[in-house]
Amino acid sequence: MAKQPMLKFVTVARDMPEKRPPDLRAHDFGEIYREYADAKAAEQSARCSQCGVPYCQSHCPLHNNIPDWLRLTAEGRLEEAYAISQSTNTFPEICGRICPQDRLCEGNCVIEQSGHGTVTIGAVEKYITDTAWEKGWVKPVQPAQERSESVGIIGAGPGGLAAADMLRRAGVQVTVYDRYDRGGGLMTYGIPGFKLEKDVVMRRVDQLEQSGVQFRLNCEVGRDISFAELRESHDAVLIATGVYKSRDLQAPGIGANGIVRAIDFLTASNRKGFGDAVETFDDGELNAEGKKVVVIGGGDTAMDCVRTSIRQGAESVKCLYRRDRTNMPGSQREVQNAEEEGVEFVWLSAPKGFHGESVAGVMVSKMRLGAPDATGRQSPEIIEGADYVEDADLVIMALGFEPEDLPTLWGQPELEVTRWGTVKADFRTHETSLPGVYAAGDIVRGASLVVWAIRDGREAAAAILDRMNASARVAAE
Ligand code: FAD
Ligand code: SF4
Ligand code: SF4
C-alpha cells in the first residue's frame, strides 16, 4: 500500500517562507517573503488533513480545490497541482501573495482551530504557480475556435482581466479599455511592490495580450470614447472600473500643502518603481524622504502608505486611527509588519484640524470606545480636554474610497446605482439595469479584494457566454 503522505500536522510545525529581516526589507520595494524551497513546500502541504468537508475551500471566494492541490504538491506532482489550481483561479500566484488568508481560507482551516497552526495555503498557492511560470507551464490562451462576437471591458484591474481571460478561452474577441497607461488596475498602481512585485502583474497582462486580448490604454471611457459608442461597437460590455474617489475629511486647515491623498501617494511611488518620471514625486510633494509623516486611517491602504513612507526614507512615520488595535479594519499581519519596520501606531486618535500653510502639525483629539452602534461596533467618543498636536510635514489621508458617479459621467441615467453609488448588478449574472451591460469587482461591491474581483469577472464572463450561446442557438434554428 502507498505510504500516506498527508496528515503531518501533528509532527510538522507550521512554517511560513522566511521573512526578510526588517532592517534589510525596509530599504527596498521587493517582496518581504522569500520563496519556499521545493522540499519545504511539499512538507508544509503534507500537514493538510484532507478534510471531507474542507472549510478552507468553502471560505475561499473562488472555492479553490485546496485539499487536492496540497496533496499533489506533497507528492511532488506540481504540474497537476498547477492544472487544478488554475482551473478555478485566473491569478493564483497573485492571490497567494495578497489575499488576507487569515480572514479567508487559512482562518477557517480546521487544524488551525485544533491549535496546530493553519496549513500555509497562500504560500503554497504562490509556490505552485511561480514554479509553473519558471517551468513554462503557464501558456497564452489558444482558443479552439474563434467567435465573431466581441466584448468591451472597461477597466484592466483583476475583475476586467479575469473576465478577459475567460472570454478569450471561449474564442470571443475582447477589447479592454483603461485610462491608465498600464494594465493591472490597483494591482499595478495601488498595491506596493513589497506585497506584490510588479513583474508578477505585468507578465499576466503581457500574456493576455499574447492571447489576443486587445488593450486600449490611455483611453478613458466618458472622455476619450463615449459609453454609448462602446456599447454600439460590442455585443456586450463589462464595467470593471473599481472605486477611486477618495473619502475626504472636513477639518480646519485641510487645504494646506503637504496634505495628500493615499491613492496619489501610492500611485506616484509605484510609478517611480517602474522608472517613470513623476513630477509630483520629484518635486517632493509625494515623496516622504526626510519627512515626519502622519498617515490617517486604519485600513490596509493606510498600512501600505506607512510602509511605503518608511521605504522612501521618512524621518518618522506615525499612523493615527480613531479606534484601537483590536477594532481596526486593516490586517493584523500588516500592522505587525509595519511595526517591525519602524512605524508607530497612535491608537484612539482622530484628526481635528491641521496647522500651517504648509502643514506643520495635526491637531489630534484623543478618543475612547463608547457604546456599540447599530452594527455592533463600539463608536469612538472624544475625550474632552485631551487634544494635542502631532508634528508632521507630510500628512497622508487614507480614509477609504467611493465610486465615481458613472451615470452622470457617462450620460447614462438608466444605469442604476445603489445609494452608495455602486453599480447595481444581478447577484449571479452580474448584468446591470442596461441590457447587455455587466459589472464586476469594486464598482459593484465597493472597495473590496482582488480575489472577489476575480470571482465576479469570471462569473460575469460565464453569464455573457451563456447569453451568446443562447443567441447563437436561436439564430441556428
Ligand atoms: P481596479 O483594480 O481598481 O481596476 C479598475 C481599472 O479601471 C483601473 O485600471 C482604472 O484605471 C480603470 N478605469 C476606471 N475608470 C475608467 C474609465 N472611465 N475608463 C477607462 N478605465 C477606467 N486587495 C487584496 O486582495 N489584497 C491586498 O493586499 C490589497 N491591497 C490594497 C492596497 C491598496 C492601496 C488599495 C487601494 C487596494 C488594495 N486591495 C487589496 C483591493 C484591491 O486592489 C481591489 O479590490 C481590486 O483591485 C479591485 O479590482 P477591480 O478590477 O474591481 O478594480
Ligand atoms: Fe486562500 Fe485567496 Fe488562494 Fe482562495 S484565492 S485559497 S482565499 S489565498
Ligand atoms: Fe487541509 Fe485545512 Fe483545508 Fe482541512 S481545512 S483540507 S486541513 S487546508
Side-chain angles (χ1 to χ4, degrees):
M1 208 170 83
K3 206 170 147 226
Q4 163 62 271
M6 305 301 284
L7 295 147
K8 299 281 189 325
F9 63 92
V10 183
T11 48
V12 177
R14 176 176 195 269
D15 197 4
M16 276 291 283
E18 191 195 342
K19 197 157 56 160
R20 291 197 290 138
D23 53 334
L24 291 184
R25 67 180 199 246
H27 301 290
D28 64 54
F29 284 85
E31 286 175 10
I32 71 166
Y33 291 101
R34 298 191 203 278
E35 190 68 271
Y36 272 143
D38 297 352
K40 182 60 92 179
E43 176 200 81
Q44 287 295 306
S45 300
R47 295 181 67 244
C48 169
S49 72
Q50 299 285 282
C51 305
V53 181
Y55 289 122
C56 54
Q57 182 170 8
S58 46
H59 285 85
C60 164
L62 294 164
H63 301 309
N64 281 343
N65 198 339
I66 299 164
D68 281 7
W69 47 253
L70 286 173
R71 184 181 178 107
L72 289 164
T73 305
E75 291 174 351
R77 294 158 63 187
L78 280 180
E79 196 163 357
E80 291 160 86
Y82 166 66
I84 291 185
S85 167
Q86 66 85 46
S87 67
T88 52
N89 190 350
T90 319
F91 307 127
E93 75 283 24
I94 294 179
C95 293
R97 284 170 164 84
I98 60 163
C99 269
Q101 285 100 9
D102 49 347
R103 303 204 299 261
L104 301 170
C105 52
E106 294 181 12
N108 291 280
C109 171
V110 291
I111 64 170
E112 164 85 352
Q113 285 151 16
S114 68
H116 287 91
T118 173
V119 177
T120 51
I121 299 169
V124 174
E125 189 178 26
K126 165 181 180 285
Y127 162 80
I128 293 169
T129 305
D130 280 351
T131 308
W133 275 100
E134 263 170 43
K135 304 263 186 204
W137 302 332
V138 188
K139 299 250 167 45
V141 171
Q142 283 187 319
Q145 218 179 346
E146 291 292 342
R147 299 179 67 132
S148 59
E149 301 99 324
S150 81
V151 175
I153 297 178
I154 314 172
L161 295 184
D165 177 85
M166 287 273 286
L167 291 164
R168 257 324 274 152
R169 281 175 200 276
V172 173
Q173 309 309 310
V174 179
T175 307
V176 179
Y177 301 80
D178 202 292
R179 61 186 173 193
Y180 281 148
D181 55 347
R182 293 184 176 93
L186 286 173
M187 300 189 297
T188 298
Y189 284 134
I191 300 171
F194 51 81
K195 278 165 57 182
L196 176 61
E197 282 173 8
K198 299 303 146 185
D199 55 353
V200 174
V201 183
M202 287 304 123
R203 68 185 175 188
R204 282 290 180 183
V205 176
D206 291 347
Q207 203 177 64
L208 281 167
E209 211 161 7
Q210 289 162 32
S211 306
V213 174
Q214 306 280 328
F215 282 90
R216 279 194 59 189
L217 300 174
N218 296 308
C219 177
E220 180 166 338
V221 175
R223 189 191 66 188
D224 302 311
I225 184 171
S226 76
F227 182 74
E229 222 176 304
L230 211 109
R231 262 184 104 188
E232 270 166 31
S233 324
H234 297 286
D235 298 285
V237 168
L238 175 68
I239 304 173
T241 49
V243 287
Y244 283 85
K245 202 165 89 188
S246 299
R247 273 196 205 119
D248 285 330
L249 185 76
Q250 298 305 321
I254 187 74
N257 291 330
I259 303 179
V260 304
R261 293 188 174 129
I263 192 71
D264 297 336
F265 176 71
L266 293 171
T267 305
S269 177
N270 277 314
R271 282 195 178 282
K272 286 310 287 182
F274 278 107
D276 296 354
V278 184
E279 208 181 310
T280 44
F281 182 92
D282 298 333
D283 68 13
E285 184 188 341
L286 296 174
N287 184 354
E289 189 179 355
K291 294 185 180 161
K292 294 191 190 82
V293 179
V294 170
V295 175
I296 298 175
D300 285 332
T301 301
M303 298 308 107
D304 290 345
C305 289
V306 289
R307 298 178 66 203
T308 296
S309 302
I310 291 276
R311 283 160 175 78
Q312 289 179 355
E315 184 187 318
S316 65
V317 184
K318 294 189 180 180
C319 181
L320 294 192
Y321 181 55
R322 63 198 179 124
R323 291 189 166 90
D324 61 6
R325 187 183 198 118
T326 6
N327 289 289
M328 69 178 294
S331 131
Q332 293 297 328
R333 183 176 65 179
E334 294 304 296
V335 177
Q336 191 192 336
N337 286 334
E339 281 181 330
E340 287 169 4
E341 291 162 11
V343 175
E344 186 186 328
F345 286 85
V346 189
W347 306 112
L348 293 163
S349 305
K352 190 180 175 187
F354 303 90
H355 276 307
E357 223 166 90
S358 279
V359 73
V362 185
M363 291 178 268
V364 180
S365 294
K366 287 306 292 176
M367 317 293 284
R368 65 173 155 245
L369 291 180
D373 62 16
T375 65
R377 271 181 106 193
Q378 281 183 283
S379 308
E381 295 168 354
I382 292 176
I383 303 174
E384 296 301 336
D387 296 359
Y388 75 101
V389 175
E390 193 74 75
D391 288 347
D393 37 26
L394 176 64
V395 176
I396 304 171
M397 308 295 291
L399 299 171
F401 299 98
E402 287 168 0
E404 289 155 293
D405 180 1
L406 294 187
T408 307
L409 285 172
W410 292 352
Q412 298 292 318
E414 304 83 16
L415 178 66
E416 283 181 21
V417 293
T418 64
R419 66 192 161 108
W420 300 280
T422 46
V423 171
K424 272 192 191 171
D426 182 271
F427 181 63
R428 282 199 183 77
T429 65
H430 301 265
E431 194 167 12
T432 68
S433 54
L434 301 177
V437 176
Y438 298 74
D442 281 5
I443 191 60
V444 177
R445 295 178 178 273
S448 177
L449 294 172
V450 165
V451 66
W452 284 110
I454 295 173
R455 172 173 164 167
D456 288 355
R458 291 171 68 96
E459 282 182 354
I464 292 170
L465 285 168
D466 279 352
R467 174 75 60 84
M468 283 176 176
N469 291 339
S471 302
R473 274 197 301 275
V474 170
E477 276 166 16

